[in-house]
Amino acid sequence: MKVTEHIAEAKGKTLFSFEIIPPKKGSSIEELYRNIDPLMEFDPPFIDVTTSREEYVYINKGGLLERKITRMRPGTVGICAAIKHKYDVDTIPHVLCGGFTREETEYLLVDCHYLGIENVMALRGDAMKHQRYFEKTSGGHEFASDLVKQIRELGQGKYLHDTVEAGNLADFCIGVAGYPEKHLEAPSLDFDLKKLKHKVDMGADYVVTQMFFRNEAYFEFVEKARAMGITVPIIPGIKPIAVKKHLQLLPQVFKIDLPEDLIAEVEKCKDNKDVRQVGVEWCIQQSRELKEAGVPVLHYYSMGKSDNIKAIARALF
């Protein structure tokens, strides 16, 4: 089923979902299953699987360093298929502009269609580690809105180099990202919302937000989005703080604000075990308020661990 169909069938009930990161090369998928298993009791209708873009590594060749491109976490579509088969749950692969040509994107989408994957998350992706700003991949898309357009056209039978007139056309439900505290590269929230509106106009069916720790930011974001004419579901993305260094890391990487009350509680913690508990308690209160407000889904960024997400879900679902 499509994400929008799951939301419609819930008839106002808030659903539970989460996002996972593929294991690194050389790791077993069983490790991934061990983190998914404890969360299945809360009946997630869908699970997101992230995609990592390429990165450079340097290999010593006879005393000279040779630069090679690699992907540390490959196999997003295969993992989606495996999870879908094992748990009978819809899976959502993340599709990126960065690191992929339009042809590679088309191949990926065709594979998804063959496997019965009906939902995709269309994202621009981050800049590579050596880049100050995002740079378009040669032969790829510069903006997520262009990626959305390609996905939507595929559903109309419009492939890059030919057209299919009839048959079993791919009809993906397309998710895109929204930023309650604006994208780190956007000059203002209003400017960023115009970009979001363009993605929706291109064919996006729902929005999942970047993490936030102040619900006011989400509520204000939704209000402004609605005023701009964005009518698709806007799903809040939530991450519990887990380690003390998140106080510096999350604002630095994602350009988000942390509430003073949360900062004070984390700073009082003696170790990361205490921090993890503070993160769980804060997230439960945050999620409870969002659920009472009638959000369609509570979507959690698990970062590959499930113990804190399970504690939060148990208190809410």
Side-chain angles (χ1 to χ4, degrees):
M1 285 176 59
K2 297 179 178 180
V3 168
T4 49
E5 292 172 337
H6 283 297
I7 292 172
E9 281 202 359
K11 297 180 180 178
K13 176 185 175 183
T14 299
L15 302 171
F16 165 78
S17 72
F18 58 95
E19 175 181 297
I20 60 170
I21 300 173
K24 288 185 177 180
K25 289 185 295 188
S27 300
S28 169
I29 198 171
E30 295 301 325
E31 180 181 346
L32 192 61
Y33 291 155
R34 283 195 292 273
N35 281 300
I36 294 174
D37 286 344
L39 301 179
M40 295 310 295
E41 68 174 278
F42 307 108
D43 297 322
F46 54 87
I47 299 171
D48 276 55
V49 182
T50 65
T51 295
S52 65
R53 65 170 303 171
E54 81 284 15
E55 57 186 88
Y56 288 118
V57 295
Y58 291 87
I59 301 171
N60 192 325
K61 290 284 187 76
L64 297 174
L65 292 178
E66 185 176 342
R67 191 169 75 166
K68 294 287 187 181
I69 290 179
T70 186
R71 293 184 192 274
M72 297 303 293
R73 299 178 186 270
T76 295
V77 173
I79 290 168
C80 282
I83 293 172
K84 188 174 186 292
H85 174 74
K86 180 176 175 64
Y87 297 103
D88 190 25
V89 63
D90 285 311
T91 49
I92 306 174
H94 289 195
V95 184
L96 305 183
C97 296
F100 296 88
T101 65
R102 290 187 292 274
E103 282 78 9
E104 288 171 327
T105 295
E106 184 173 284
Y107 300 153
L108 182 149
L109 294 170
V110 169
D111 285 345
C112 288
H113 182 47
Y114 287 157
L115 292 166
I117 295 171
E118 298 183 75
N119 305 278
V120 294
M121 189 76 180
L123 304 167
R124 189 198 69 174
D126 299 323
M128 296 180 71
K129 290 179 181 178
H130 69 280
Q131 297 172 343
R132 183 173 178 84
Y133 301 106
F134 177 86
E135 296 178 12
K136 173 184 172 182
T137 297
S138 179
H141 293 299
E142 185 172 4
F143 301 109
S145 55
D146 299 325
L147 177 56
V148 171
K149 184 173 183 286
Q150 180 182 357
I151 299 168
R152 187 58 67 211
E153 287 183 344
L154 196 73
Q156 300 165 357
K158 298 177 183 177
Y159 291 77
L160 292 174
H161 305 301
D162 56 357
T163 300
V164 176
E165 296 295 341
N168 183 24
L169 298 177
D171 182 22
F172 293 107
C173 180
I174 306 170
V176 293
Y179 300 86
E181 296 173 78
K182 85 174 183 62
H183 189 274
L184 58 91
E185 295 174 17
S188 71
L189 180 57
D190 285 345
F191 179 91
D192 200 28
L193 279 165
K194 289 176 184 176
K195 294 293 185 181
L196 179 60
K197 177 66 162 57
H198 184 54
K199 288 190 282 190
V200 174
D201 289 344
M202 287 295 99
D205 297 292
Y206 68 98
V207 176
V208 179
T209 75
Q210 175 62 275
M211 69 182 74
F212 57 90
F213 293 87
R214 299 180 303 106
N215 285 348
E216 293 81 5
Y218 170 79
F219 293 136
E220 291 170 5
F221 175 76
V222 172
E223 183 179 357
K224 288 184 176 182
R226 299 301 185 222
M228 191 170 283
I230 298 171
T231 60
V232 300
I234 301 177
I235 297 170
I238 309 167
K239 174 180 170 53
I241 275 189
V243 294
K244 208 163 211 176
K245 68 179 181 181
H246 279 165
L247 290 185
Q248 290 76 41
L249 185 64
L250 296 180
Q252 179 184 9
V253 174
F254 300 104
K255 300 298 184 289
I256 56 175
D257 287 335
L258 300 178
E260 290 299 326
D261 290 352
L262 177 58
I263 296 170
E265 288 301 313
V266 171
E267 287 187 325
K268 287 190 293 186
C269 293
K270 296 179 180 178
D271 53 35
N272 282 334
K273 181 180 179 181
D274 291 343
V275 173
R276 205 166 182 83
Q277 184 57 35
V278 167
V280 166
E281 292 172 1
W282 182 275
C283 198
I284 288 172
Q285 294 305 315
Q286 185 182 4
S287 299
R288 186 167 286 138
E289 182 180 22
L290 291 165
K291 189 177 182 183
E292 289 172 355
V295 299
V297 184
L298 287 170
H299 183 73
Y300 295 94
Y301 299 114
S302 74
M303 305 304 289
K305 301 295 182 182
S306 61
D307 58 319
N308 54 352
I309 305 299
K310 181 177 180 179
I312 295 161
R314 182 165 285 168
L316 294 157
F317 294 95

